Amino acid sequence: MRAHDESIEIEHLTRLNEYGLDDLFICCASFEDRCLESALKMGVAFRVRFSVIFVIEEPFYKKQVDTKSFKLQAELGKRTSEGVFVIKCQRDNPMEGISQLKSIWDRCKPKDLEDPSITIDISGFTKIYLLELLYYLVAELNLGIPRILHTTQTYAPTKLTRGVEQISTVPNFFGIISVEKQTLLVLFLGFEPERSLAVWKHFNPSKTIALVTNPPRYGNSDYLEYARKNNSYLLSQPSVEVRDVPADDPYATRGVLETIYNEKRGSFNMIVGPFGTKSQTVGLFLFCLEYPKVQVVYSFPANYTRSYLKRKPGSTLLLPLAPMVKV
């Protein structure tokens, strides 16, 4: 794949393998319309051996999730030559979903593990599922960084979730925590202030660095203003420092985290909470590959607001990642 320095908007999805079928296409059916966009953009020549659709349970929006799942199965069935697998899994237990992928891996794994052709559409995944999926493919199987697609959403100045059910360390991202060090909490902030604030209160860190998406996507200053207003209580605390992070550049996100780590290493345990964009979560994963001492934490929302159903799909982006970087 041609290297590129920034996200590229795509209208038609082509194959990675110029000599034959791609190996694997992985996506997730959610209640959001954008989870369909990558499949709908597959060109006539796009063909893949296997497709895997994760269906993460969401009791309040079961009808919408089921509808998107059936549509994905129909669209991918047209482009998939050997089989479409559907993995139904619990929202709060990503390891159960990854366990199901492991159980079918021998049936759908790439023919050439040294040169796989894998595409992941991250649009429908929750951030914790995204971290665990990438960990399995890249860290455990050593398949390199896959091609990653992300469909954005239209901006709407409303909260995306309500309440917090639980706070937990993300499996495989436990890090190494020393009782002799103070806590540095790094939070990616967005439109879910209750979730990030709950993590902040839970850890009571000595220092917090809040990462706000700036410049905002498509230069929409309203996004930045609302994100700051949404998190105004946290941002007003004397121990909180604010820094900028780009919306859709995983390598730049990794660089921001690396700078923070190098500034604070030796004195602090670094804990990160991903509540920004999904592209930033990919950057967090890249960072954790190199700095496994860092811990990643997550707070599960009590429920998603209906504002998600009102947001329309935006552009489908091809993230600027080297597809064959291995660890």
Side-chain angles (χ1 to χ4, degrees), residues 167-170 173 185 187 199 203 271-275 295-299:
I167 298 171
S168 63
T169 303
V170 178
F173 297 85
L185 180 63
L187 291 172
V199 169
F203 285 97
I271 300 175
V272 184
F275 304 107
Q295 184 177 99
V296 181
V297 297
Y298 192 78
S299 58

Side-chain angles (χ1 to χ4, degrees), residues 93-95 128 131-132 135 168-174 296 300:
N93 187 6
M95 299 311 296
I128 191 170
L131 287 169
E132 296 302 341
Y135 185 88
S168 63
T169 303
V170 178
N172 295 311
F173 297 85
F174 295 106
V296 181
F300 292 92

Side-chain angles (χ1 to χ4, degrees), residues 1 16 112-118 142-147 251 321-327:
M1 183 193 300
L16 284 167
D112 183 356
L113 297 178
E114 293 299 318
D115 187 23
S117 301
I118 301 174
N142 198 30
L143 292 175
I145 305 297
R147 175 170 66 174
Y251 285 131
L321 295 165
M324 287 310 298
V325 174
K326 293 197 173 186
V327 295

Side-chain angles (χ1 to χ4, degrees), residues 96-148:
E96 185 254 346
I98 300 303
S99 177
Q100 291 187 55
L101 178 60
K102 291 180 179 181
S103 71
I104 63 171
W105 186 251
D106 283 342
R107 298 162 64 187
C108 65
K109 66 183 179 182
K111 289 183 177 179
D112 183 356
L113 297 178
E114 293 299 318
D115 187 23
S117 301
I118 301 174
T119 299
I120 301 177
D121 175 13
I122 67 174
S123 309
F125 283 100
T126 65
K127 297 178 183 74
I128 191 170
Y129 262 89
L130 176 55
L131 287 169
E132 296 302 341
L133 176 61
L134 290 174
Y135 185 88
Y136 176 59
L137 296 176
V138 180
E140 290 191 24
L141 296 178
N142 198 30
L143 292 175
I145 305 297
R147 175 170 66 174
I148 295 182

Side-chain angles (χ1 to χ4, degrees), residues 147-160:
R147 175 170 66 174
I148 295 182
L149 305 173
H150 177 47
T151 298
T152 63
Q153 292 189 113
T154 55
Y155 165 77
T158 53
K159 291 183 179 180
L160 300 180

